[in-house]
């Protein structure tokens, strides 16, 4: 009979060693970073390669795989020169894809705490780069063309000072006169007040050592608080929270009647970028943003919230009807100002009167009476409940709506990949939420046991199902279950893979078009060019729809 030999953790010090103060290693902060899947990294690196070239992409790839690193480690892993790495970091910072930060770590015995300067790639901001057209479409629906041009300028350049923005529009028709410059300021003010434009975050936020209370696992409040713990904040969440300016400063834009009067102000507007470069050249990794120059950027969080609203409205419209979508849209508009983060479980509670006041602002809503709106709210709060009711107040259940959208997406994938019977089996297991035996599944969906076992086995091999064997004497039973948490991660990685393949195909079709343009589009080549143009359009459209699905699983 074989015996298991259990050894102690080799990193665990012996009692004699642990008593020696001089042998103790300094404690480090736990760097709990958000996990990015294999194809998520490949897709992000592909986006950076397309936008900034292979060198910047190499630095991005290193940081996504290794996590936050100091400058010297990035140089070591990428095998690029220090100057080149610095410039690549500057590009990523300029375009809001990287956040430097200072991390305090406990020193050794008798030593002071040390502070390290680290660099962290913002994975979500990299993904947002393929959504710029969606951001501009949102602005075009709410504001004029000048606002759209302002957003496009900020998306193109990453972050700009007010003077740089004004200088870019100075020679245009809108900005050639003092009246045009005033209109430009007013439109920037509108975008800031709508939270579509924000001040850039602190250049290098400082993360101090957590106190004992902060380091202890956070517990949920309630009767079972001793057993249920909150998920710890990731390093990225802590850094971003420390970097964001105070709310009053973040969305504060002061109109300046004298702007544009002095040409020298525009010429000196590049001071911030120059100081950032000098900071890196001097070896001091911090201080990228000039303290005296206010830099502005597009607030991707707000646009992501608007995209979430759009998807939620379509889910309600598909599941219910247009009237329900109208009332639901009114609830979104009424609670919009209170939204502080993207991944929120529910909206603020709203009264019937406040919802109706928002409903009648739209043309379709003015056809509805208060009683009819209340009846629609009852429908919205029925199964599946998109709206929660408590004390005669209504709140949007974002969490449930997104879960419904995720389930619909997974079921659609199962249907396309394994067929109708597999879809019915998966749907049964998904609704049940527990293990079911093969015979039970077979009887429920009226499919032969042998065929049921084959289909379930295929879905299990594809990681769409969880399987366990139950042995009772000479008999063996197979139990099946949907583990939606693990499945979502798997499906998301598959979506990143599909997006990568679509992007590569779009790039190939674009090269084909360029070759035809070089040769000329006359005669038979014109027909081929038009065909390639249609194919590319379909691929781009498919990629945007796939990105909507990615947002459902990753961003919302």
């Amino acid at each position: 009979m074989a015996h298991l030999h259990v050894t102690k953790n080799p990193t665990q010090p012996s009692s004699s060693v642990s008593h020696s103060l001089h042998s103790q290693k300094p404690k480090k902060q736990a760097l709990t970073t958000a996990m990015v899947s294999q194809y998520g990294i490949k897709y992000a690196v592909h986006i950076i390669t397309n936008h900034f070239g292979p060198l910047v992409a190499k630095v991005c790839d290193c940081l996504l795989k290794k996590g936050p690193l100091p400058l010297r480690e990035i140089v070591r892993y990428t095998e690029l020169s220090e100057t080149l790495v610095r410039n690549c970091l500057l590009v990523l910072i300029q375009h809001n894809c990287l956040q430097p930060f200072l991390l305090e770590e406990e020193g050794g015995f008798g030593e002071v705490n040390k502070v390290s300067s680290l660099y962290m790639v913002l994975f979500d901001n990299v993904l947002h780069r393929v959504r710029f057209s969606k951001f501009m479409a949102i602005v075009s629906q709410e504001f004029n063309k000048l606002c759209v041009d302002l957003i496009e300028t900020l998306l193109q350049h990453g972050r700009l000072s007010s003077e740089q923005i004004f200088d870019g529009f100075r020679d245009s028709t809108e900005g050639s006169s003092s009246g045009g410059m005033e209109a430009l300021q007013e439109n920037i003010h509108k975008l800031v007040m709508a939270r579509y434009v924000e001040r850039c975050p602190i250049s290098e936020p400082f993360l101090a050592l957590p106190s004992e209370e902060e380091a202890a696992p956070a517990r949920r409040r309630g009767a079972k608080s001793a057993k249920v713990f909150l998920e710890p904040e990731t390093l990225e969440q802590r850094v971003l929270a420390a970097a964001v300016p105070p709310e009053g400063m973040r969305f504060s834009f002061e109109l300046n009647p004298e702007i544009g009067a002095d040409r020298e102000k525009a010429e000196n507007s590049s001071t911030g970028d120059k100081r950032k470069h000098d900071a890196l050249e001097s070896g001091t990794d911090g201080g990228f943003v000039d303290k005296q120059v206010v830099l502005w950027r597009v607030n991707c969080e707000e646009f992501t919230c608007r995209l979430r609203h759009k998807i939620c409205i379509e889910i309600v419209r598909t599941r219910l009807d247009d009237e329900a979508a109208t009332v639901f849209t009114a609830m979104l508009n009424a609670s919009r100002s209170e939204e502080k983060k993207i991944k929120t479980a529910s909206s603020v509670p709203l009264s019937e009167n406040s919802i109706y006041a928002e409903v009648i602002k739209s043309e379709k809503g003015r056809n509805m009476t208060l009683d009819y709106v209340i009846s629609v709210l009852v429908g919205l709060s029925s199964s599946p409940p998109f709206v929660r009711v408590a004390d005669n107040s209504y709140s949007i259940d974002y969490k449930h709506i997104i879960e419904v959208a995720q389930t619909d997406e997974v079921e659609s994938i199962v249907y396309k990949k394994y067929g109708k019977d597999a879809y019915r089996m998966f749907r049964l297991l998904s609704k049940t939420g527990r293990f079911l035996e093969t015979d039970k599944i077979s009887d429920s969906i009226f499919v032969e046991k042998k065929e049921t076992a084959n289909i379930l086995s295929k879905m299990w091999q594809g990681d769409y199902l969880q399987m366990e064997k139950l042995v009772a004497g000479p008999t063996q039973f197979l139990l099946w279950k949907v583990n939606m948490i693990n499945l979502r991660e798997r499906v998301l990685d598959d979506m990143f893979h599909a997006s990568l393949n679509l992007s590569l195909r779009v790039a190939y079709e674009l090269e084909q078009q360029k070759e035809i343009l070089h040769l000329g589009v006359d005669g038979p080549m014109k027909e081929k060019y038009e065909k390639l143009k249609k194919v590319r359009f379909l691929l781009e459209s498919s990629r945007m729809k796939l990105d909507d699905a990615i947002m459902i699983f990753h961003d919302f």
Side-chain angles (χ1 to χ4, degrees):
M1 182 176 177
H3 295 277
L4 290 175
H5 179 65
V6 181
T7 59
K8 290 183 178 181
N9 188 341
T11 61
Q12 183 70 28
S14 64
S15 58
S16 60
V17 175
S18 63
H19 288 155
S20 172
L21 290 174
H22 294 282
S23 65
Q24 288 182 355
K25 293 184 179 180
K27 296 179 181 179
K28 294 186 177 182
Q29 292 199 51
L31 302 185
T32 308
T33 56
M35 295 296 293
V36 181
S37 64
Q38 174 188 359
Y39 282 105
I41 292 176
K42 290 183 178 180
Y43 182 46
V45 172
H46 171 75
I47 293 171
I48 295 297
T49 303
N50 279 351
H51 291 193
F52 307 114
L55 293 177
V56 178
K58 189 172 186 178
V59 173
C60 179
D61 180 65
C62 171
L63 290 170
L64 284 172
K65 290 178 178 177
K66 302 291 184 181
L69 293 172
L71 179 62
R72 64 180 181 278
E73 292 297 308
I74 303 173
V75 171
R76 183 167 71 89
Y77 284 121
T78 59
E79 298 180 346
L80 300 174
S81 69
E82 187 172 319
T83 301
L84 190 53
V85 169
R86 292 176 192 274
N87 289 330
C88 291
L89 292 173
L90 279 172
V91 169
L92 291 171
I93 292 170
Q94 175 66 31
H95 292 274
N96 307 302
C97 295
L98 184 138
Q99 178 65 58
F101 65 98
L102 299 172
L103 184 71
E104 182 183 20
E105 295 178 324
E106 190 174 328
F109 177 70
E111 298 178 355
V112 297
N113 293 348
K114 62 177 182 178
V115 177
S116 302
S117 183
L118 304 176
Y119 301 92
M120 177 178 64
V121 167
L122 304 178
F123 177 72
D124 290 355
N125 283 11
V126 175
L127 296 185
H128 287 325
R129 297 195 63 81
V130 302
R131 299 165 186 154
F132 286 175
S133 60
K134 296 180 182 180
F135 295 173
M136 292 174 61
I138 291 172
V139 175
S140 66
Q141 293 171 2
E142 297 185 29
F143 298 103
N144 57 28
K145 184 179 181 301
L146 184 55
C147 286
V148 177
D149 292 340
L150 284 166
I151 289 293
E152 183 179 14
T153 299
L154 284 170
L155 290 173
Q156 181 180 355
H157 296 285
R159 48 180 69 184
L160 295 171
S161 67
S162 300
E163 286 75 14
Q164 286 174 320
I165 297 172
F166 298 139
D167 190 46
F169 283 82
R170 196 184 301 275
D171 297 327
S172 65
T173 304
E174 296 88 347
S176 58
S177 64
S178 59
M181 296 305 291
E182 289 177 5
L184 188 62
Q185 284 194 87
E186 290 174 359
N187 281 278
I188 295 175
H189 184 260
K190 288 179 183 177
L191 292 171
V192 173
M193 291 300 100
R195 303 171 73 92
Y196 289 143
V197 173
E198 65 176 353
R199 293 196 185 201
C200 289
I202 298 170
S203 59
E204 264 189 321
F206 176 72
L207 293 188
L209 278 170
S211 63
E212 292 183 3
E213 293 182 358
E214 293 172 337
R219 295 176 178 173
R220 297 183 192 272
R221 296 178 180 177
K224 299 181 180 180
S225 61
K227 295 182 179 180
V228 183
F229 293 93
L230 292 172
E231 185 177 345
E233 274 191 321
T234 63
L235 179 66
E236 182 174 338
Q237 290 171 335
R238 292 173 58 202
V239 170
L240 293 180
V244 65
E247 191 77 5
M249 182 184 298
R250 183 182 178 188
F251 300 105
S252 173
F253 181 83
E254 296 181 1
L255 298 175
N256 183 1
E258 298 181 359
I259 196 72
D262 189 354
R263 189 76 180 184
E264 292 181 1
K265 290 183 180 180
E267 295 173 357
N268 295 331
S269 62
S270 60
T271 305
D273 289 336
K274 185 177 185 300
R275 291 191 183 181
K276 286 189 289 184
H277 185 272
D278 292 343
L280 281 174
E281 287 296 325
S282 64
T284 58
D285 298 334
F288 287 109
V289 180
D290 192 311
K291 303 296 187 298
Q292 297 176 349
V293 176
V294 177
L295 297 177
W296 301 93
R297 70 174 187 178
V298 168
N299 181 14
C300 293
E301 284 187 7
E302 187 67 22
F303 281 107
T304 305
C305 286
R306 299 289 77 76
L307 291 172
R308 180 187 61 182
H309 289 179
K310 181 180 178 182
I311 288 174
C312 287
I313 291 168
E314 290 307 312
I315 292 170
V316 170
R317 194 190 309 277
T318 303
R319 288 295 185 109
L320 299 175
D321 51 36
D322 288 340
E323 285 77 14
T326 299
V327 174
F328 186 82
T329 302
M331 293 184 69
L332 288 171
N333 293 335
S335 60
R336 174 177 174 178
S337 61
E338 299 297 326
E339 285 190 58
K340 301 300 180 184
K341 57 182 181 179
I342 300 170
K343 293 187 178 182
T344 183
S346 61
S347 70
V348 295
L350 300 167
S351 66
E352 294 172 351
N353 289 331
S354 62
I355 295 172
Y356 185 69
E358 192 67 38
V359 167
I360 59 178
K361 289 181 180 179
S362 65
E363 185 176 348
K364 292 182 179 179
R366 283 190 283 273
N367 297 326
M368 301 181 185
T369 64
L370 176 60
D371 287 341
Y372 186 78
V373 170
I374 293 173
S375 68
V376 173
L377 288 171
V378 172
L380 284 167
S381 59
S382 303
S383 181
F386 295 144
V387 170
R388 298 289 181 183
V389 186
D391 299 328
N392 293 324
S393 295
Y394 301 83
S395 58
I396 298 170
D397 191 345
Y398 288 120
K399 186 175 183 291
H400 181 70
I401 295 173
I402 298 305
E403 286 176 352
V404 167
Q406 291 173 346
T407 301
D408 288 348
E409 192 67 36
V410 173
E411 289 177 355
S412 174
I413 293 171
V414 169
Y415 187 91
K416 294 175 183 176
K417 197 169 186 178
Y418 298 105
K420 184 177 180 179
D421 289 338
Y423 162 77
R424 292 167 62 203
M425 294 176 195
F426 183 89
R427 189 174 176 82
L428 172 67
L429 291 168
S430 177
K431 286 187 173 182
T432 305
R434 56 184 174 85
F435 280 103
L436 291 181
E437 200 267 328
T438 307
D439 288 351
K440 178 69 174 177
I441 299 171
S442 176
D443 294 340
S444 298
I445 63 169
F446 305 106
V447 176
E448 292 184 1
K449 180 181 177 182
K450 185 177 180 180
E451 181 65 18
T452 300
N454 288 335
I455 294 173
L456 291 170
S457 179
K458 288 180 182 179
M459 287 196 287
W460 171 69
Q461 290 173 356
D463 292 333
Y464 281 84
L465 293 180
Q466 183 179 344
M467 183 265 285
E468 285 191 7
K469 295 180 181 179
L470 179 64
V471 179
T475 309
Q476 176 179 282
F477 299 94
L478 295 180
L479 304 177
W480 310 89
K481 179 185 176 182
V482 173
N483 188 336
M484 192 58 76
I485 295 176
N486 293 340
L487 184 56
R488 286 171 188 150
E489 295 177 358
R490 163 64 194 274
V491 169
L492 178 60
D493 195 45
D494 288 345
M495 288 179 176
F496 284 138
H497 190 185
S499 289
L500 175 61
N501 289 338
L502 273 174
S503 298
L504 292 172
R505 178 65 189 275
V506 168
Y508 172 77
E509 295 296 335
L510 183 60
E511 286 298 320
Q512 293 288 100
Q513 282 185 277
K514 288 180 179 178
E515 289 181 10
I516 294 175
L517 283 174
H518 181 70
L519 296 172
V521 291
D522 297 331
M525 297 301 290
K526 184 176 182 180
E527 183 179 350
K528 186 177 180 180
Y529 176 79
E530 291 298 327
K531 184 179 179 181
L532 286 172
K533 191 175 179 181
K534 290 180 181 178
V535 170
R536 186 187 167 202
F537 175 80
L538 290 173
L539 290 171
E540 288 280 9
S541 178
S542 298
R543 188 172 67 165
M544 288 296 101
K545 290 179 180 178
L546 184 55
D547 183 65
D548 287 341
I550 287 175
M551 295 187 78
I552 290 173
F553 282 85
H554 178 72
D555 296 88
F556 304 154

